[in-house]
Amino acid sequence: EISECLVGSEMCIETAYDYFNKDKAQDYKQSNYVAGVQWWFYPKCRLQAQYTYCDPHKGENYNLLQAQLQVRF
């Protein structure tokens, strides 16, 4: 995972690569490529968006788009 923060620590860009083999007997492998941003708009609040490209060994590739609002108290 690679993370780079811009404008102090308020805005961060995230990239990652994940690989897993769910079932070695059936050779079920999958690679995930992830890119996202997170914005700390208040010291305990952030907004995060993430795009994931999933590349399974068997079956069709697919895309995920996720968004999250986090508030700590």
Side-chain angles (χ1 to χ4, degrees):
E1 182 173 314
I2 298 172
S3 176
E4 183 66 36
C5 292
L6 310 169
V7 189
S9 61
E10 294 176 4
M11 180 77 72
C12 294
I13 298 171
E14 306 278 337
T15 59
Y17 169 77
D18 293 328
Y19 170 83
F20 67 95
N21 193 346
K22 186 175 181 177
D23 186 348
K24 290 183 180 183
Q26 294 187 18
D27 197 32
Y28 183 80
K29 298 182 253 182
Q30 181 169 320
S31 296
N32 295 333
Y33 303 89
V34 181
V37 295
Q38 62 180 359
W39 173 44
W40 291 91
F41 59 92
Y42 193 73
K44 294 185 177 184
C45 302
R46 77 173 170 172
L47 181 62
Q48 182 178 16
Q50 187 177 67
Y51 167 77
T52 305
Y53 174 75
C54 301
D55 184 13
H57 179 68
K58 297 179 180 179
E60 294 186 27
N61 302 341
Y62 56 96
N63 303 289
L64 299 172
L65 185 58
Q66 303 170 72
Q68 173 179 305
L69 175 64
Q70 180 179 354
V71 178
R72 292 187 288 177
F73 54 93

